[in-house]
Amino acid sequence: MDQYQIRGGRPLSGRVEIHGAKNSVLPMLASTLLHHGVSVLHNCPRLSDVDASLAILRHLGCRVNREGDVVTVDAATVGRWDIPDALMREMRSSVLFLGAILARTGRADVSMPGGCELGPRPIDLHLAALQRLGASMEQQGGRLICTRGDQLHGAEIDLSLPSVGATENAMLAAVGASGRTVIRNAAREPEIVDLARFLRGMGARVCGEGSSTLVVEGKVPLHDSDYRVMGDRIVAATYLSAVAAAGGEAELTGVDPSQFASVVALLRQGGAEVRCRPDSVWIRSTPPLSGVGCIRTAPYPGFPTDAQPVVMAALCRSRGTTVFVETMFENRYRHVDELCRMGANIRAEGRVAVVTGVDRLHGAPVQAHDLRGGGALCVAALGAEGETAVTGLNHIRRGYASLVEDLSALGADIREVNE
Ligand code: EPZ
């Protein structure tokens, strides 16, 4: 079984360029269907979720080419509107294609996305938004069949939750709807802002991104475009947490730290020194951190749920206690048992996890059960004495394009062993 072998206990030092943001590029790839032409994405990370999205685009009839971090999609001829079950299951975020397929072809035939490692992942808000825009849909044998996509019209959409995915699906369908669409209680995440900029780059008329109210003027002519994806703020949060766990200093470039200001604030509160520039962040830390009281995850600009596992890993070795409250997903503490195998003292009960700092962690064989939980195990391993073997790399490869290369550049003793 493939594994990362990590020998911890030594401080990190160096500089790393952060790769493009997974949660930006996935909706952007779906958006390429909206234009009967060519879209070029720069800084597109090499991730299994990106590969799955490219496979879906090819299945639908697009010509897709990848050279390094540049992906070119030619959506001139799209002849299908279905996503096969196997492709839907490969990536939960395939649901992001629903609005774009519907707007492009007038219909869609996808399997209902199951839950994932984080718990049930409902899409009721996605479907309600598309119905507001005029789509009709029915479920048949685990498939979702949507029609009337050729008659989408502008609407007022009020999201009961600022869902990132539902906001994105509504935005993409609204680009293909005739008239004005207003989306209220929209997600404000930086990835939504990045997506809006990408859509404007292809000629779409979208405004309000970053606020809770988005306005889209649909059915405007679109054109070929060329766009650079923003840096991945969660990968940056992971590497900051790695330095906080192991000690040392590092500079991360190609990322805007204002997009994860809540993570920076907590690491500073824990005793790390962090300096921010518009497109880079520098950290210096001498373990152990201090406990930081209570961390509640919340929609942006609150503390990001995706950073919860990696910051928890950094706080395993700390003076004092930190209480985590995970408000976004039901089952996002699957890394806790694995961290405890390394000597961490964590009690998780429902949505709450109490981390009582310990003086030291020791290496152990541990398994990733989800993407960011896998990142957390690598963070903890860098601050642990001895060797840790991390398995479950299939999860980690979904969102970290160059973990071994990047951490090695920071001086970590990490290697991938393929058995
Ligand atoms: C996006 O997931 C991200 N994924 C997640 O990152 C991230 O954790 C999440 O947003 C929150 O920031 C991508 O962008 C591909 P939501 P998404 O809809 O869109 C509930 C990672 O590690 N909800 O904002 O699925 C839902 O159950 C991943 O990169 C409904 O009830 O998140 C959750 O409790 C993990 N009905 C809450 O809203 C719906 O129709 C927030 O989910 C949709 C969501």
Side-chain angles (χ1 to χ4, degrees):
M1 184 184 292
D2 292 355
Q3 58 183 255
Y4 291 149
Q5 289 179 356
I6 300 168
R7 179 163 293 281
R10 53 198 272 185
L12 302 180
S13 172
R15 177 192 166 112
V16 162
E17 170 91 12
I18 299 296
H19 63 64
K22 167 176 88 80
N23 292 351
S24 282
V25 79
L26 295 183
M28 288 175 188
L29 288 170
S31 308
T32 61
L33 291 166
L34 296 169
H35 167 47
H36 297 234
V38 175
S39 305
V40 181
L41 281 171
H42 298 260
N43 199 26
C44 188
R46 284 197 173 284
L47 300 168
S48 55
D49 273 7
V50 171
D51 295 341
S53 297
L54 300 183
I56 290 172
L57 289 171
R58 288 192 180 98
H59 169 81
L60 296 171
C62 299
R63 282 187 299 166
V64 176
N65 181 48
R66 159 157 232 157
E67 283 181 35
D69 74 355
V70 181
V71 164
T72 303
V73 178
D74 182 347
T77 51
V78 170
R80 302 185 68 123
W81 54 87
D82 68 306
I83 302 181
D85 205 48
L87 286 178
M88 276 301 285
R89 289 185 179 281
E90 213 172 300
M91 181 184 66
R92 189 213 158 271
S93 312
S94 320
V95 71
L96 292 177
F97 277 83
L98 186 55
I101 293 174
L102 197 55
R104 173 63 189 260
T105 68
R107 46 190 171 172
D109 173 358
V110 301
S111 56
M112 290 298 283
C116 76
E117 308 82 14
L118 305 181
R121 302 290 293 271
I123 61 167
D124 54 313
L125 301 181
H126 298 237
L127 304 185
L130 296 177
Q131 285 172 313
R132 286 285 298 147
L133 292 164
S136 65
M137 50 193 70
E138 57 175 346
Q139 294 189 32
Q140 289 169 9
R143 302 284 301 176
L144 178 70
I145 312 295
C146 301
T147 55
R148 295 170 52 85
D150 52 340
Q151 299 163 51
L152 295 182
H153 53 72
E156 308 236 332
I157 297 170
D158 292 284
L159 295 175
S160 58
L161 275 170
S163 154
V164 171
T167 300
E168 291 165 344
N169 248 325
M171 284 168 77
L172 301 192
V175 169
S178 53
R180 165 174 293 197
T181 294
V182 179
I183 305 170
R184 291 191 192 86
N185 198 22
R188 298 169 52 195
E189 272 70 2
E191 292 77 12
I192 301 283
V193 174
D194 212 21
L195 175 61
R197 287 176 179 156
F198 170 71
L199 290 170
R200 267 201 301 277
M202 61 166 42
R205 287 176 55 192
V206 181
C207 64
E209 68 277 4
S211 78
S212 297
T213 303
L214 293 175
V215 180
V216 180
E217 299 291 347
K219 281 261 192 269
V220 298
L222 303 179
H223 50 70
D224 290 5
S225 66
D226 205 283
Y227 188 80
R228 180 174 178 78
V229 181
M230 74 181 203
D232 192 309
R233 61 193 176 109
I234 305 301
V235 170
T238 303
Y239 294 173
L240 290 178
S241 300
V243 176
E249 64 177 77
E251 183 180 21
L252 309 178
T253 59
V255 71
D256 173 0
S258 70
Q259 296 176 339
F260 46 99
S262 56
V263 175
V264 169
L266 276 167
L267 291 174
R268 283 174 172 157
Q269 191 181 335
E273 187 184 351
V274 185
R275 295 181 197 147
C276 299
R277 290 202 176 124
D279 63 353
S280 68
V281 58
W282 174 87
I283 183 172
R284 175 161 56 200
S285 179
T286 309
L289 292 175
S290 308
V292 292
C294 181
I295 299 179
R296 288 178 66 88
T297 63
Y300 193 85
F303 185 87
T305 175
D306 294 349
Q308 173 260 106
V310 296
V311 169
M312 181 187 287
L315 287 165
C316 287
R317 270 202 318 157
S318 63
R319 285 186 303 274
T321 301
T322 300
V323 177
F324 286 84
V325 182
E326 176 52 68
T327 67
M328 305 293 283
F329 292 109
E330 259 177 33
N331 191 20
R332 196 160 206 174
Y333 288 139
R334 300 186 64 188
H335 45 284
V336 166
D337 287 348
E338 302 299 318
L339 292 172
C340 291
R341 287 167 59 89
M342 300 172 70
N345 178 349
I346 308 171
R347 286 292 307 277
E349 193 76 37
R351 301 270 180 153
V352 177
V354 180
V355 179
T356 305
V358 296
D359 292 337
R360 57 176 55 81
L361 296 178
H362 52 76
V366 291
Q367 182 175 355
H369 297 293
D370 59 61
L371 166 55
R372 305 304 173 185
L377 299 181
C378 296
V379 165
L382 291 167
E385 293 163 5
E387 182 159 296
T388 296
V390 181
T391 53
L393 302 194
N394 56 306
H395 295 292
I396 298 176
R397 290 177 181 133
R398 286 188 44 229
Y400 294 98
S402 43
L403 196 73
V404 172
E405 298 83 349
D406 291 345
L407 292 178
S408 301
L410 296 179
D413 179 352
I414 177 172
R415 60 199 181 107
E416 179 173 337
V417 175
N418 304 117
E419 291 177 350

